[in-house]
Amino acid sequence: MKTRKRSRWFYFKKNLPLTLMALPGIILMILFKYLPLSGIVLAFKQYNIRDGIFGSAWNGLKNFEYLFRTKDAWIITRNTLGYNLLFIVLDLVLAVTMAIILNELHQKKAAKVYQTIFMAPYFLSWVVVSFIAYSLLSVDNGFINRALGLNVTWYSEPRAWPFILIFFQIWKTLGYSTVMYLGSIVGISNDYYEAALMDGATKWQQIRFITLPSLKSMMIVLTILAVGKIFYADFGLFYQLPRNSGPLFPVTNVIDTYVYRALKENGNIGMSAAASLYQSLVGFVLVLASNFVVRKIDKDSALF
């Protein structure tokens, strides 16, 4: 027992600097991630500001009923799932492709320039991106209408917006995903490529049998994490970019924007809490389910 206690005290003192370095992050996580969990009770209450969170009356599952019995329930669910599925697939394929292309460039300075160019849009807020889109799509002075001689009111044309949303989402986030995969590619030992080259492997064969298998674990982990957020939509993308245009609601309204509008117009805090809880629970289940499937197929590639 004394040896075990001494051993614990020894490791505690040894790791004390690392513990102190992690302490601010731990405190922030407790304040902003764990303490707010008490607000989950709002999803089951008829919130009254005078009575507060814990003094308000219980109303069971009525907040969930309000969310799912609305006529827009199918539309917001379809849009949220459909767009996120497309984003997951396109981001995976395009990011891996771009990372491989950048890695194959012989001029490393040029590769750095291209990498910076691809990464730059990620740091722009959706408010800024919405003004860029407006300069392109405005019916009066928009670049597209003037360049092509059109007179299309893009902000009243729902059929075009699924493609517009997908384009701007990929344009803004592709660089970030590319850099993550590029970092993994750089970490692959050159010995594999040299051995393959000595055996007469072509560049495509090197990518197919060395690069892609080496990226498999990261691809699976990032996909599992993305699946866990499949019921979450990027609020800025679906609210700021279409400029909250009513005619576009059938193709731009998702769970997050619907909850925001309901909260803004009706002040229904209980319903917004119910929607957030629903998204979190579904995401948690999807992460466990997808990780379980991956674990059954390849145990070493699973997240946990």
Side-chain angles (χ1 to χ4, degrees), residues 80-286:
T80 305
L81 287 175
Y83 282 120
N84 280 333
L85 283 173
L86 283 172
F87 293 158
I88 291 172
V89 174
L90 291 176
D91 184 75
L92 175 64
V93 174
L94 295 178
V96 171
T97 302
M98 291 302 302
I100 293 174
I101 292 174
L102 289 176
N103 185 65
E104 293 299 326
L105 291 176
H106 296 293
Q107 296 181 355
K108 296 305 177 183
K109 290 185 178 179
K112 291 291 184 182
V113 172
Y114 295 141
Q115 181 179 328
T116 303
I117 293 173
F118 290 139
M119 190 69 181
Y122 180 79
F123 298 101
L124 299 177
S125 70
W126 280 114
V127 176
V128 175
V129 175
S130 70
F131 281 103
I132 295 174
Y134 185 75
S135 68
L136 296 173
L137 304 173
S138 174
V139 65
D140 298 323
N141 299 314
F143 175 79
I144 293 178
N145 280 351
R146 295 179 65 181
L148 301 179
L150 302 176
N151 191 30
V152 179
T153 53
W154 295 102
Y155 289 91
S156 299
E157 188 63 44
R159 291 178 297 178
W161 274 88
F163 303 99
I164 295 173
L165 291 170
I166 292 171
F167 170 78
F168 277 100
Q169 169 68 13
I170 296 300
W171 173 74
K172 189 175 186 299
T173 61
L174 181 61
Y176 179 76
S177 302
T178 299
V179 168
M180 288 194 293
Y181 287 115
L182 185 60
S184 296
I185 294 175
V186 172
I188 301 174
S189 175
N190 287 328
D191 294 340
Y192 296 117
Y193 294 103
E194 292 174 0
L197 191 61
M198 292 178 62
D199 290 338
T202 62
K203 183 61 67 176
W204 166 245
Q205 289 174 329
Q206 294 176 34
I207 294 172
R208 180 182 176 184
F209 295 106
I210 299 175
T211 306
L212 291 179
S214 300
L215 291 177
K216 184 178 70 171
S217 296
M218 172 166 270
M219 292 164 65
I220 291 173
V221 169
L222 293 180
T223 301
I224 291 174
L225 295 177
V227 168
K229 295 182 179 180
I230 201 169
F231 265 76
Y232 287 87
D234 193 327
F235 181 82
L237 171 65
F238 293 99
Y239 186 83
Q240 297 289 351
L241 192 65
R243 305 179 75 85
N244 198 26
S245 176
L248 302 180
F249 283 176
V251 294
T252 61
N253 204 12
V254 291
I255 295 177
D256 298 77
T257 56
Y258 176 80
V259 170
Y260 172 77
R261 293 187 183 104
L263 182 62
K264 184 179 179 181
E265 295 172 5
N266 304 327
N268 195 335
I269 296 178
M271 189 273 289
S272 63
S276 298
L277 179 59
Y278 165 67
Q279 289 175 305
S280 299
L281 288 176
V282 172
F284 176 70
V285 172
L286 287 174

